[in-house]
Amino acid sequence: MKESDIRLVPIKNGTALDHLPAGTALKILEILQLSKPEKAVTLAINTESKSMGKKDLVFIEGKELTKSEIEKIGLLAKGATINVIKGSEVKSKAKIELPEKAVGIIRCLNPKCISSIENLETKFSILQGPLRAKCFYCEKTMHEKEIANAIR
Amino acid sequence: MGLSLTDIISICDFSKKDIELVLETASQMDSLPKEKKARILENRVIASLFFEPSTRTRLSFETAIQNLGGRVVGFSDPAVSSTSKGETLSDSIRMVSGYADMIIMRHSIEGAARRAAEVSKKPIINGGDGANQHPTQTLLDLYTIKKEFKKIDGIKIGLLGDLKYGRTVHSLMYALAHYKNVEVFCIAPESLKMPEEIIKDNSGQLEIKETKNLHEFLPELDVLYATRIQKERFADEFEYAQIKNVFILGREILEKTKEQFRIMHPLPRVNEIKQELDSTPAALYFEQAKNGVPVREAILSLLKGVEK
């Protein structure tokens, strides 16, 4: 299917996520706790993209994302586009950046870390090239795949 | 100028200036008359909280406190603390920071010291948090090298043994990266190699070579920093049996080394260094352990009166 052939159900008020790396859409639904949505959610997986080769799309009716939800998506899909739709029109469009810090949005996978043992609000510094997250407490570094599994 | 830090948690927090200040102060402590030294922590109470047993770290800290005229409160056995009643570390530290002027702590949980520094109104000194950090060990290692060789720049150091899990050798790599023209030779069996990430983090600043053969670079070394290979690190007992004796240092290595060659070890040793080396000039490990006192005196005196 070509990019021009994509016909997703348009949304009236909500959020359209575009340019998601292929294979991330289902994880994003899980992060946004939309596995049993009340309103329409439309997904496209592995569609053709001129700039990315393949990409995913997620359209969510009736939902504006919070700052922490956008940060979580940033950890999975740096460079994706977020469109806020109001009255069937695109009200704002922005590129999702990788956050510099991740506070309370990922858990530390080190079972010996104080943040897991005392259930503390987690803090990570996010390092680029390749993507890594370093725990403020135990100083252990998680890599891309581990980060995806650690998102709360 | 004092330290830029209010707590001593991780060697990664130290700038070169901070490290040098600790080493200079330790050197002053080494030569300060006893009576003068004994006034530095006069009327101060230092908490020594050892949630995990330790001999060298606890005794050298407590000796340092006594030498500086301070008083020690605390425990060396967590069974006698409220932890055994289920109190969180955060609560224990909040409480003790109301009693003491500084807190020294060792804990088996990684990140425990960083958490303690967050909740404590008084400076925290990390005496080891599980497999994570033990910054005063690294500082005393650097102090030992500087005292022995009158410099750290240009030193050629071999790191031997368990480089995969060894906390002391990891921290030492990061600390040495502050100095110029330092060459590090990582000598370990395949399964205990220095983690890729640590090599990558420091390869810009350090000249790093890796080998499985102890004898390959021996004639080049100024220092050989030996560590213990722990049986429990091996999933396969056969593999442990194969390598456990490979890295045992005996008198014969001195036939190949420079005259000023020295051996360091964070201690306790098991069988990595034969006792026959103890009486040779190469044995620096007991001097290294002794240096724990002036280095810890330096840290205590630099943190005195720090406002958080």
Side-chain angles (χ1 to χ4, degrees), chain A residues 27 30-31 75-76 105-109 142-152:
Chain A
K27 183 74 189 173
E30 189 190 314
I31 289 168
L75 289 173
L76 282 176
I105 61 171
I106 43 181
R107 66 193 169 85
C108 184
L109 295 181
M142 295 195 286
H143 294 269
E144 201 163 349
K145 274 190 182 164
E146 293 167 312
I147 295 172
N149 290 328
I151 297 175
R152 287 178 195 258

Side-chain angles (χ1 to χ4, degrees), chain B residues 105-143:
Chain B
M105 61 177 283
R106 167 171 285 200
H107 207 294
S108 59
I109 298 174
E110 293 164 27
R114 185 74 74 190
R115 173 58 180 166
E118 253 184 341
V119 297
S120 169
K121 292 185 230 87
K122 306 290 170 52
I124 297 285
I125 303 172
N126 184 6
D129 59 331
N132 184 31
Q133 284 277 339
H134 190 4
T136 60
Q137 174 71 48
T138 311
L139 292 164
L140 79 86
D141 291 342
L142 292 178
Y143 181 65

Side-chain angles (χ1 to χ4, degrees), chain A residues 110 112 114 118 123 137 139, chain B residues 10 89-90 110-111 118 132:
Chain A
N110 174 9
K112 291 179 189 160
I114 186 88
E118 295 206 348
K123 298 174 195 176
Y137 293 104
E139 303 187 7
Chain B
S10 163
L89 171 76
S90 309
E110 293 164 27
E118 253 184 341
N132 184 31

Side-chain angles (χ1 to χ4, degrees), chain A residues 93-152:
Chain A
K93 189 172 187 159
K95 208 169 164 183
I96 302 180
E97 301 293 344
L98 198 62
E100 280 177 20
K101 287 194 170 155
V103 178
I105 61 171
I106 43 181
R107 66 193 169 85
C108 184
L109 295 181
N110 174 9
K112 291 179 189 160
C113 176
I114 186 88
S115 70
S116 331
I117 291 165
E118 295 206 348
N119 202 19
L120 305 174
E121 179 174 66
T122 57
K123 298 174 195 176
F124 285 84
S125 16
I126 305 299
L127 313 162
Q128 295 203 47
L131 174 65
R132 283 157 299 151
K134 187 177 178 186
C135 176
F136 169 75
Y137 293 104
C138 74
E139 303 187 7
K140 288 270 181 302
T141 303
M142 295 195 286
H143 294 269
E144 201 163 349
K145 274 190 182 164
E146 293 167 312
I147 295 172
N149 290 328
I151 297 175
R152 287 178 195 258

Side-chain angles (χ1 to χ4, degrees), chain B residues 181-247:
Chain B
N181 306 321
V182 173
E183 288 182 47
V184 178
F185 301 85
C186 296
I187 311 159
E190 188 62 35
S191 51
L192 295 177
K193 274 171 70 175
M194 182 65 79
E196 220 22 70
E197 185 144 328
I198 296 179
I199 294 200
K200 217 171 138 195
D201 281 352
N202 295 296
S203 57
Q205 296 80 35
L206 300 171
E207 173 100 25
I208 304 168
K209 293 194 179 88
E210 290 186 273
T211 179
K212 289 175 213 163
N213 179 2
L214 165 64
H215 300 277
E216 190 178 350
F217 299 109
L218 213 44
E220 292 184 47
L221 300 180
D222 298 308
V223 179
L224 182 59
Y225 193 107
T227 59
R228 196 149 49 101
I229 292 183
Q230 289 166 283
K231 193 178 174 182
E232 54 271 28
R233 299 292 188 206
F234 292 87
D236 181 354
E237 208 162 305
F238 177 68
E239 195 189 359
Y240 172 74
Q242 269 188 321
I243 64 168
K244 69 171 183 182
N245 294 326
V246 174
F247 294 142

